Amino acid sequence: MSEEGYRTYTNELRQQQQLLDEAKLADKLVADGDTIDAFLAKEGIEAITSESGLRYLITEEGNGPNAEPGDEVVVHYAGRILNGDYFDTSIEAVAKENGMYNPSRNYSEGFSFNIGQGRVIKGWDEGIAYIKEGGKGTLYIPSPLGYGSRGSGPKIPPYSILVFDVEVLKVNK
């Protein structure tokens, strides 16, 4: 096989694999949505479902602006998988309660990022924008809007549904 023929062949294989992965994630989005909905029903939680499949609940209405693409936001968060196991937090008390406390971390500052820049998982880029500055909410993130098939580290297995309790401290326009 020529070098060009080999490149064409490997590109076609990559494209086929990408289509298979996209189809699997689409199926997983539906399955995760059903799992989240069953969990919410069992817990008596009435969340809003976005067009992407993200479920969210505003637990405390803020009085500031909502973040828009490009805005910097500063948030406090506590992240767990759907079974309740915490994997990360910017809240010192939650870190201490769940054996995640790191004395070298500055818990008072929160976490900052720019909305819509792809620096965080898709569920955050979308979900944080629903919570006004000064507000709090919970995001229920299907795996395709989280870490998908790769997972993240030892605490987030592949295809994990994520739950984040979030407080939007500041929106910098």
Side-chain angles (χ1 to χ4, degrees):
M1 183 180 286
S2 70
E3 189 175 325
E4 187 172 322
Y6 179 74
R7 262 187 267 147
T8 301
Y9 171 73
T10 57
N11 283 338
E12 287 173 1
L13 286 178
R14 251 186 256 115
Q15 289 173 349
Q16 289 173 358
Q17 188 60 48
Q18 185 176 357
L19 290 173
L20 289 172
D21 291 346
E22 288 172 7
K24 185 172 185 173
L25 286 177
D27 290 344
K28 191 67 175 142
L29 187 62
V30 171
D32 284 0
D34 292 343
T35 300
I36 294 169
D37 290 342
F39 172 84
L40 295 172
K42 180 180 169 206
E43 298 295 320
I45 299 170
E46 292 186 32
I48 299 165
T49 302
S50 75
E51 193 172 305
S52 73
L54 174 77
R55 273 76 168 164
Y56 67 97
L57 174 69
I58 304 298
T59 56
E60 189 174 310
E61 194 68 42
N63 55 12
N66 287 85
E68 297 175 359
D71 292 346
E72 179 191 40
V73 293
V74 181
V75 301
H76 267 311
Y77 66 92
R80 60 191 184 278
I81 55 179
L82 194 61
N83 72 4
D85 291 344
Y86 283 87
F87 55 83
D88 192 20
T89 185
S90 67
I91 304 166
E92 186 172 352
V94 174
K96 287 180 176 178
E97 289 169 17
N98 292 280
M100 300 182 302
Y101 181 70
N102 178 349
S104 64
R105 183 171 183 175
N106 185 346
Y107 290 95
S108 63
E109 291 183 8
F111 175 73
S112 65
F113 68 99
N114 292 83
I115 291 281
Q117 306 298 307
R119 290 189 48 225
V120 294
I121 59 174
K122 291 177 184 178
W124 263 45
D125 260 341
E126 177 185 352
I128 299 294
Y130 295 129
I131 305 168
K132 292 180 181 180
E133 180 181 274
K136 295 180 180 180
T138 303
L139 308 177
Y140 300 90
I141 302 175
S143 61
L145 301 179
Y147 294 102
S149 63
R150 21 179 240 288
S152 181
K155 293 188 176 186
I156 305 175
Y159 300 111
S160 291
I161 295 170
L162 307 176
V163 180
F164 284 94
D165 296 312
V166 180
E167 178 181 7
V168 177
L169 303 171
K170 184 76 179 147
V171 174
N172 296 311
K173 296 277 182 190

